[in-house]
Amino acid sequence: MPVTNQALAGGYQLLNYRVDRQISRGGFSIVYRAFDEEGVPVAIKEYLPSSLVLRTEGDIVRASSAENLTSFRYGMKCFFEEGRALAKINHPNVVRVLNFFRANETVYMVMRYERGRTLQQHIQMRQDQMSERLVRHVFMHLLNGLREVHTHKLLHLDIKPANIYLRTDGSPVLLDFGAARQTLTSARPKLAPMYTPGFAAPEQYREPDRLGPWTDVYGVGASMFACLAAFAPQAADARVSEDHLVSAKKIWAGQYSDNILEVIDWCLRLDPLERPQSVFALQKAIRDIPPIKRKLGFFGSLKKMLFSEIGA
Amino acid sequence: MRFTIFQESRKGSRKTNQDRIAYTYSRDTLLLVVADGMGGHAGGEIAAQIAARLFIERFQQEAKPILKNPLKFLQDTMLRAHAALGSYANQFSMLETPRTTCVACIVQAGHAYWCHVGDSRLYLFRQGGLIGATKDHSKVQYLVDQGIIGAGEVAAHPDRNKIFSCLGGLVDPVIDLSRRTPLRNGDVLVLCTDGLWSVMDQHEISTWLTSTPILTTAPQMMREGEKRGGPEGDNLSAIVVRWGPETLTDEQTTTVTESLGIGDFETQIERTLTLTDRKGTQRDLTDDEIEHAIEEIQSTIQKYRR
Ligand SMILES: Nc1ncnc2c1ncn2[C@@H]1O[C@H](COP(=O)(O)OP(=O)(O)O)[C@@H](O)[C@H]1O
Ligand SMILES: [Mg+2]
């Protein structure tokens, strides 16, 4: 008996979308590339938790027992949360949801297809270290997206390089709101936490009532750390008992500006209160880094002037 | 809707706090309510509580997610609260009906509507100037209207506590309704009890709350008000709403209501009122709920489509 769920086959017609191929398979879902009637590529996320074997052949998802069905339906709530969260966010640095529907006894989320690769892949494929310029570029834009997410009283709670997508033009897109909960509105989170070691903040392990913007800030700091190190920082639960994390300022002194290294260390503070308390505060800290001195041509300085006018 | 909201009730120097304040909002409509239980009468605290609770409960029944007729909602709820106080007194064979003042405000589709009974007040400030206010149902206000005393003499007048309209009174309440008043970003709504307005005039209140992040200055204003009340100080309460996204502070203080689902409410009640949580409990989803969730997400996608 097969032990994994079967993905939909290439060419499968799903509502008005034609499935092209599977892009990724995760704990909760399978992501496909597909095309709509006009041939525009889309990414479709199919809710199909890997812990429940529900489809060994064909397309229909079938629960083998009542208990199985209950778990399946219960987990669906997270998927709806993700859809709800993303549907109302329309921001260039946050993945765009185009449609949401029910079929094959499960649910699907259709997203704008982004060309590029995840920051995780980017880190792994590079031979040399990422430049400060690129790190700053990626995170400044990403933080604009995250700020919009927080404005909607949502926390992402799973910020890590695998959930940050880099378009071919270098602009970042925040993906995977599977862990997002509306925790900013209610005193206590409604669903069990989900986290990735190394990128999850300590409060995600033990103090769910202390989640806040600073929790995503930790994930951002850990992701920046990973860009420099090409590996994740020590997991926060281990850090709480014995902190072996060497500060970024020590590891990369002289290779990156003091400011960016200080920002990383600031985001990675174990005490939530000692981190930047909002994305805005973090952005301000990153902006404060004096720009690397370069001779700018006339257009360069004009552009810079314009941006500083528009910026903030 | 986007707004910044503050509410606080302070006891002053009294043994009990008979003020009740609360707000609740659905995705598209906001309700604010302030009630000041009348201490000289039996159960002022109960009266204020019943009135505030009735507003919240009726709102959650009717705002789905908007009210059909906000002014009618306000007026009906005042009348029902008045009736509820009467039947409460009957039920417990009270000699006197519990009484309270009440001011309530609805904001919906960018317009404010308000309604009051007694001397709890609403002020609407725009760029520091007063552009809307309630007029107390009080003896001194009557004297002002007749030109017998000046507005400046109200707060210190010996009869300033005498009001001729309240909920739970022997005669039916006089209920004043506002017009439908368009709001602009940056407008500040203040609902307060006499504990605040009697120690601080409207100009000063406006100064505290104009061009400053209200979440910082409103608490300072309340502390100052309590201090001024001195050893005889009355309970003082206020709800302050700054309409539109907060632009005066680094912090994320703006309430964004679009994150609420249809049928969801966020409610904040200052002090002992408790309401049951209407949100779903932890169980698996029915087919209907799945269909409903999908419909809702689809309509949100449509709404936010550029
Ligand atoms: N809109 C998209 N465009 C292109 N690729 C995507 C898109 N959404 C997801 N992916 C790909 O699918 C992977 C998994 O998606 P994600 O939303 O993180 O789901 P999971 O819950 O399985 O982690 C991503 O790492 C990315 O490679
Ligand atoms: Mg992921």
Side-chain angles (χ1 to χ4, degrees):
Chain A
M1 194 181 122
V3 289
T4 56
N5 286 309
Q6 185 174 302
L8 297 174
Y12 182 81
Q13 193 69 33
L14 182 59
L15 213 70
N16 46 330
Y17 305 97
R18 188 169 47 78
V19 171
D20 176 33
R21 60 181 169 85
Q22 173 186 321
I23 309 176
S24 136
R25 181 187 284 263
F28 265 97
S29 53
I30 299 179
V31 180
Y32 304 91
R33 185 166 86 139
F35 296 98
D36 71 8
E37 308 99 319
E38 279 144 35
V40 177
V42 292
I44 301 185
K45 197 168 186 176
E46 176 181 52
Y47 169 62
L48 198 58
S50 58
S51 57
L52 306 169
V53 179
L54 301 155
R55 185 172 63 203
T56 51
E57 53 167 21
D59 48 7
I60 309 294
V61 172
R62 282 195 187 83
S64 53
S65 65
E67 194 191 334
N68 218 331
L69 180 66
T70 300
S71 320
F72 178 68
R73 287 275 173 100
Y74 185 72
M76 210 179 255
K77 282 184 188 174
C78 287
F79 202 80
F80 285 136
E81 285 295 327
E82 180 172 6
R84 267 180 56 134
L86 284 171
K88 60 198 160 216
I89 297 176
N90 198 341
H91 191 278
N93 302 111
V94 178
V95 69
R96 185 81 195 112
V97 172
L98 303 172
N99 197 0
F100 201 100
F101 60 89
R102 191 177 185 190
N104 297 338
E105 291 299 310
T106 187
V107 282
Y108 295 87
M109 185 168 84
V110 184
M111 298 169 275
R112 186 159 63 204
Y113 181 76
E114 301 291 357
R115 274 171 233 279
R117 56 189 178 197
T118 67
L119 183 58
Q120 170 83 10
Q121 289 165 332
H122 186 84
I123 292 169
Q124 284 166 349
M125 283 164 60
R126 280 185 78 97
Q127 306 296 321
D128 48 346
Q129 261 190 334
M130 251 168 99
S131 71
E132 172 151 355
R133 245 179 66 122
L134 182 61
V135 174
R136 288 179 56 179
H137 172 85
V138 168
F139 284 91
M140 280 313 285
H141 287 86
L142 186 79
L143 287 172
N144 287 336
L146 185 59
R147 210 164 116 181
E148 182 69 12
V149 172
H150 288 179
T151 302
H152 283 85
K153 295 197 184 276
L154 289 156
L155 298 174
H156 185 284
L157 299 180
D158 198 17
I159 294 184
K160 58 180 180 184
N163 287 335
I164 299 169
Y165 204 80
L166 286 188
R167 294 192 183 103
T168 35
D169 69 1
S171 61
V173 190
L174 190 54
L175 294 182
D176 196 358
F177 282 60
R181 311 268 186 274
Q182 279 181 257
T183 29
L184 289 180
T185 43
S186 65
R188 66 218 118 70
K190 291 177 193 77
L191 290 161
M194 190 168 94
Y195 41 71
T196 310
F199 298 99
E203 63 269 24
Q204 283 176 274
Y205 293 87
R206 36 172 85 228
E207 297 175 293
D209 54 337
R210 289 187 75 185
L211 301 183
W214 44 84
T215 310
D216 282 340
V217 162
Y218 189 97
V220 168
S223 301
M224 289 170 85
F225 184 100
C227 286
L228 272 51
F231 55 82
Q234 186 192 8
D237 57 339
R239 287 186 64 200
V240 169
S241 46
E242 213 179 327
D243 197 354
H244 292 303
L245 185 70
V246 182
S247 78
K249 188 125 185 241
K250 261 200 198 128
I251 308 178
W252 293 289
Q255 297 177 52
Y256 292 87
S257 72
D258 279 356
N259 297 66
I260 200 139
L261 298 176
E262 279 161 11
V263 161
I264 293 174
D265 289 335
W266 188 23
C267 293
L268 286 172
R269 300 300 294 251
L270 285 173
D271 183 346
L273 290 174
E274 290 177 5
R275 282 173 232 149
Q277 294 296 293
S278 66
V279 170
F280 186 82
L282 175 54
Q283 282 183 313
K284 259 198 338 204
I286 297 181
R287 274 179 210 276
D288 283 341
I289 299 173
I292 300 151
K293 284 211 180 69
R294 252 177 308 125
K295 281 227 173 82
L296 294 167
F298 170 71
F299 284 107
S301 35
L302 181 70
K303 205 166 133 193
K304 203 179 140 205
M305 221 171 73
L306 282 174
F307 274 108
S308 58
E309 292 278 303
I310 302 163
Chain B
M1 298 186 292
R2 294 185 180 207
F3 54 86
T4 305
I5 189 159
F6 164 85
Q7 73 170 2
E8 189 179 32
S9 182
R10 299 182 75 94
K11 210 158 70 169
S13 304
R14 301 288 163 86
K15 275 205 212 63
T16 57
N17 190 340
Q18 305 199 328
D19 290 356
R20 286 295 183 278
I21 60 182
Y23 65 83
T24 183
Y25 52 86
S26 67
R27 195 153 68 183
D28 302 313
T29 307
L30 170 66
L31 165 72
L32 316 166
V33 55
V34 166
D36 178 357
M38 293 167 69
H41 302 267
E45 193 171 356
I46 297 168
Q49 177 147 338
I50 289 173
R53 164 179 244 149
L54 201 82
F55 264 99
I56 301 287
E57 286 182 348
R58 282 206 73 215
F59 181 82
Q60 300 195 343
Q61 284 156 14
E62 313 244 319
K64 287 190 164 169
I66 63 159
L67 294 170
K68 285 206 192 75
N69 184 339
L71 287 172
K72 185 165 184 309
F73 169 85
L74 290 168
Q75 186 176 32
D76 285 356
T77 311
M78 286 289 185
L79 286 169
R80 286 194 198 202
H82 177 66
L85 291 173
S87 46
Y88 183 89
N90 258 339
Q91 196 184 335
F92 295 96
S93 314
M94 296 169 81
L95 287 176
E96 240 182 344
T97 308
R99 297 175 186 192
T100 185
T101 72
C102 189
V103 57
C105 176
I106 295 285
V107 183
Q108 178 169 296
H111 290 77
Y113 310 79
W114 61 87
C115 170
H116 82 291
V117 169
D119 66 352
S120 291
R121 290 188 180 173
L122 176 144
Y123 298 117
L124 172 55
F125 299 109
R126 176 166 299 161
Q127 293 172 341
L130 189 71
I131 60 160
T134 51
K135 210 177 204 191
D136 298 342
H137 299 133
S138 66
K139 186 171 163 186
V140 284
Q141 181 62 48
Y142 176 80
L143 296 176
V144 173
D145 289 347
Q146 298 298 308
I148 299 168
I149 62 168
E153 295 169 62
V154 169
H157 198 278
D159 282 345
R160 82 165 176 84
N161 283 322
K162 292 206 172 126
I163 60 175
F164 60 78
S165 175
C166 64
L167 301 179
L170 289 175
V171 292
D172 281 348
V174 176
I175 301 173
D176 277 356
L177 290 169
S178 74
R179 294 163 189 259
R180 174 172 182 266
T181 307
L183 291 184
R184 293 197 199 147
N185 281 352
D187 283 359
V188 175
L189 279 162
V190 180
L191 278 71
C192 64
T193 59
D194 62 341
L196 180 68
W197 66 249
S198 61
V199 295
M200 214 176 264
D201 68 17
Q202 79 201 33
H203 302 291
E204 207 181 342
I205 293 176
S206 151
T207 308
W208 277 106
L209 304 174
T210 301
S211 313
T212 57
I214 61 159
L215 295 191
T216 311
T217 52
Q220 294 167 355
M221 172 183 82
M222 294 298 287
R223 275 198 298 278
E224 174 63 21
E226 188 172 47
K227 213 167 78 194
R228 287 191 199 169
E232 297 287 294
D234 192 2
N235 307 148
L236 63 159
S237 308
I239 304 182
V240 181
V241 172
R242 188 177 185 284
W243 189 247
E246 179 65 87
T247 49
L248 301 167
T249 161
D250 290 3
E251 299 304 315
Q252 286 297 348
T253 56
T254 306
T255 299
V256 178
T257 61
E258 282 83 3
S259 51
L260 289 179
I262 291 171
D264 285 352
F265 297 95
E266 263 306 303
T267 305
Q268 290 293 323
I269 302 174
E270 183 80 11
R271 305 175 36 73
T272 60
L273 296 179
T274 45
L275 285 163
T276 47
D277 184 0
R278 280 156 204 275
K279 287 179 188 165
T281 45
Q282 302 250 318
R283 52 177 179 72
D284 64 306
L285 300 169
T286 64
D287 279 322
D288 276 358
E289 286 169 323
I290 293 172
E291 295 299 335
H292 180 80
I294 288 175
E295 260 169 42
E296 201 195 321
I297 292 168
Q298 281 183 338
S299 78
T300 310
I301 292 170
Q302 295 306 325
K303 199 167 124 194
Y304 286 80
R305 181 160 283 169
R306 237 193 284 264

